[in-house]
Amino acid sequence: MNAFDVSKLLSHRTAAVEEAAIIRMAQRARDLRARGRDVISLILGEPDFDTPMHIQAAATEAMRNGYTHYAPVAGIPQLREAVARKLEKENGLHYSPAEIVLANGAKQAVTNAMFATVDAGDEAIFLAPFWVAYEGILRMAGGVPVILGSEISNHFKIEPRQIEAAITPKTKLLLINSPNNPSGAVYSRHELEAIARVIAAHPQLLVISDEIYEYISYGEPLTSFAALPGMQERTITINGFSKAFAMTGWRLGYAAAPEPLARAMAKVQGTFTAGANAFVQHAAVAALAGGREDVMKMREIYRHRRAIVMEELGHLRGVEVMEPQGTFYAFPDVSHWLARHSGIGTVEQFCDWLLDEHGLALVPGSAFGNDRCVRLSFAASEVDLKTGLARLAAALG
Ligand code: PLP
């Protein structure tokens, strides 16, 4: 009799999604540390700051006031209103509270958006490099990614004509993430307008605009894609609290979209889970109502660290780097260095070698659809950052 093998019983859906390289690298770094190795990790995409105290206090108070029960699926009315007001004031977007859906993180908001719009075989255009989670979510929803590449030579930006050429009758979604994880690229209003002109000619096409790094932008204020003429009716704006307010563990994000879409997203969320955590939603009302001093303070610290990263990477031979205009990531191109060193042929091998031989953990760009670059997060203490950069410099010799 054959032995029972439960792994043969897993769904095709889960088998179609690969374990993210970030998770694999982070686990390898943890394993090495557990064995006593000194490892600097510049992997994680989360603020290394504590959530501001007034937000923590609001959560505690909400708990004491009994907000420990199920919340409405699409979110508590006060927060839906607060998000609508925020989008009006800061982004020039006019949404009613009924068009806002709170979710357990922006990641779930993206999941809701994809499951609400994608049928089996529908295509979604991703602009590489792109946040790795989009692909797994899309595949689980039955969709097919169509990946357009950009390189450091064009500042990691996609030309509108590339998008135009990729659109087919099956294209349902275009994913835009600006400021971009992992490249740090920020599309200007002018560049977004050119993309919008392409979109406008294709009535079957919706846009997901992931603006989660909105406040971590070092130049001109972000243009929300939905603010462009004619785009709000076909855009799902995604944002959240994780990066802006250092609230990654609280799990709260949101989507804003025309009401039929908002209702469909709430239906998806109500099917898979429930409303986001009730007392966290109350704390988020306080986060939005408060000033942006904490947010700006964090951004200025990231700006300072960015200068440290640019100074150090700028000196490395065989490494090309673009100054990120947003986010807390640098995405240096190491392909020239790889070409000169036999034995380390790919960015995955490069990252494995850096970790094993030099105690530095980075993420290979292949995890984001780019096989020439590596991602370095500067959401790390200055001491760790400087030590990590020194290790990189020593490794590249
Ligand atoms: N969107 C992008 C581009 C991200 O990089 C991340 C997190 O790394 C998220 C969304 C997820 O945010 P949340 O923590 O709110 O789920």
Side-chain angles (χ1 to χ4, degrees), residues 198-222:
V198 171
I199 304 296
H202 299 276
Q204 88 282 16
L205 196 48
L206 297 167
V207 174
I208 295 180
S209 179
D210 181 346
E211 302 176 6
I212 188 114
Y213 293 97
E214 168 184 28
Y215 293 130
I216 312 172
S217 179
Y218 305 107
E220 61 182 88
L222 179 77

Side-chain angles (χ1 to χ4, degrees), residues 45 105-107 131 134 177 181 210 212-213 242-243 251-252:
K107 190 171 189 176
W131 182 43
Y134 298 146
N177 169 221
N181 172 13
D210 181 346
I212 188 114
Y213 293 97
S242 287
K243 318 285 173 174
R251 310 309 304 131
L252 191 64

Side-chain angles (χ1 to χ4, degrees), residues 160-225:
R161 61 181 160 72
Q162 288 175 272
I163 297 172
E164 177 74 69
I167 295 172
T168 75
K170 281 183 165 278
T171 313
K172 192 59 150 312
L173 288 176
L174 168 70
L175 264 284
I176 297 177
N177 169 221
S178 169
N180 177 270
N181 172 13
S183 73
V186 178
Y187 281 86
S188 69
R189 184 180 188 91
H190 184 67
E191 288 162 339
L192 291 176
E193 281 168 351
I195 293 177
R197 281 195 289 276
V198 171
I199 304 296
H202 299 276
Q204 88 282 16
L205 196 48
L206 297 167
V207 174
I208 295 180
S209 179
D210 181 346
E211 302 176 6
I212 188 114
Y213 293 97
E214 168 184 28
Y215 293 130
I216 312 172
S217 179
Y218 305 107
E220 61 182 88
L222 179 77
T223 298
S224 283
F225 194 77

Side-chain angles (χ1 to χ4, degrees), residues 26-357:
Q27 190 55 47
R28 288 203 57 217
R30 270 195 296 272
D31 290 347
L32 283 175
R33 270 198 191 129
R35 281 192 257 129
R37 282 281 305 279
D38 165 25
V39 172
I40 297 285
S41 174
L42 302 179
I43 288 183
L44 282 188
E46 68 171 332
D48 55 316
F49 302 106
D50 290 331
T51 306
M53 279 317 294
H54 70 281
I55 303 175
Q56 296 194 32
T60 313
E61 194 188 326
M63 253 185 276
R64 288 215 192 92
N65 287 338
Y67 292 112
T68 53
H69 300 273
Y70 287 127
V73 171
I76 59 171
Q78 306 91 303
L79 185 55
R80 295 177 87 185
E81 269 163 36
V83 169
R85 271 200 307 276
K86 179 256 178 251
L87 292 173
E88 174 99 41
K89 193 167 151 212
E90 298 184 352
N91 307 81
L93 299 171
H94 313 292
Y95 287 108
S96 73
E99 295 174 303
I100 310 295
V101 180
L102 277 302
N104 301 285
K107 190 171 189 176
Q108 191 188 12
V110 172
T111 308
N112 291 342
M114 288 194 183
F115 274 77
T117 54
V118 169
D119 283 314
D122 282 351
E123 293 171 1
I125 298 178
F126 293 167
L127 311 182
F130 59 90
W131 182 43
V132 58
Y134 298 146
E135 186 171 350
I137 299 168
L138 179 75
R139 286 194 190 279
M140 281 210 178
V144 181
V146 173
I147 297 170
L148 304 183
S150 69
E151 299 297 344
I152 198 162
S153 52
N154 43 26
H155 308 286
F156 296 114
K157 288 189 185 161
I158 309 285
E159 294 289 330
R161 61 181 160 72
Q162 288 175 272
I163 297 172
E164 177 74 69
I167 295 172
T168 75
K170 281 183 165 278
T171 313
K172 192 59 150 312
L173 288 176
L174 168 70
L175 264 284
I176 297 177
N177 169 221
S178 169
N180 177 270
N181 172 13
S183 73
V186 178
Y187 281 86
S188 69
R189 184 180 188 91
H190 184 67
E191 288 162 339
L192 291 176
E193 281 168 351
I195 293 177
R197 281 195 289 276
V198 171
I199 304 296
H202 299 276
Q204 88 282 16
L205 196 48
L206 297 167
V207 174
I208 295 180
S209 179
D210 181 346
E211 302 176 6
I212 188 114
Y213 293 97
E214 168 184 28
Y215 293 130
I216 312 172
S217 179
Y218 305 107
E220 61 182 88
L222 179 77
T223 298
S224 283
F225 194 77
L228 302 178
M231 288 300 115
Q232 181 161 343
E233 63 192 30
R234 47 161 78 207
T235 300
I236 302 171
T237 302
I238 304 285
N239 208 326
F241 295 81
S242 287
K243 318 285 173 174
F245 300 97
M247 288 172 66
T248 46
W250 298 58
R251 310 309 304 131
L252 191 64
Y254 56 86
E259 212 174 320
L261 264 171
R263 272 201 301 270
M265 290 190 284
K267 200 177 193 183
V268 173
Q269 179 160 300
T271 303
F272 282 118
T273 168
N277 178 312
F279 54 81
V280 167
Q281 292 197 55
H282 283 272
V285 173
L288 288 180
R292 298 287 179 270
E293 294 82 14
D294 293 310
V295 173
M296 293 306 134
K297 228 183 274 169
M298 289 188 253
R299 187 188 65 189
E300 291 316 304
I301 295 172
Y302 295 134
R303 191 196 297 277
H304 172 66
R305 293 178 188 164
R306 177 180 70 152
I308 296 172
V309 170
M310 290 306 296
E311 167 73 18
E312 196 60 53
L313 293 183
H315 289 135
L316 300 181
R317 277 194 60 211
V319 175
E320 243 185 300
V321 62
M322 177 188 93
E323 182 173 65
Q325 291 123 50
T327 76
F328 35 59
Y329 308 110
F331 201 53
D333 183 322
V334 296
S335 59
H336 294 298
W337 191 91
L338 292 178
R340 291 210 316 266
H341 291 78
S342 56
I344 305 175
T346 65
V347 282
E348 287 94 352
Q349 288 166 353
F350 179 80
C351 287
D352 283 340
W353 168 78
L354 268 185
L355 180 56
D356 293 333
E357 304 295 326

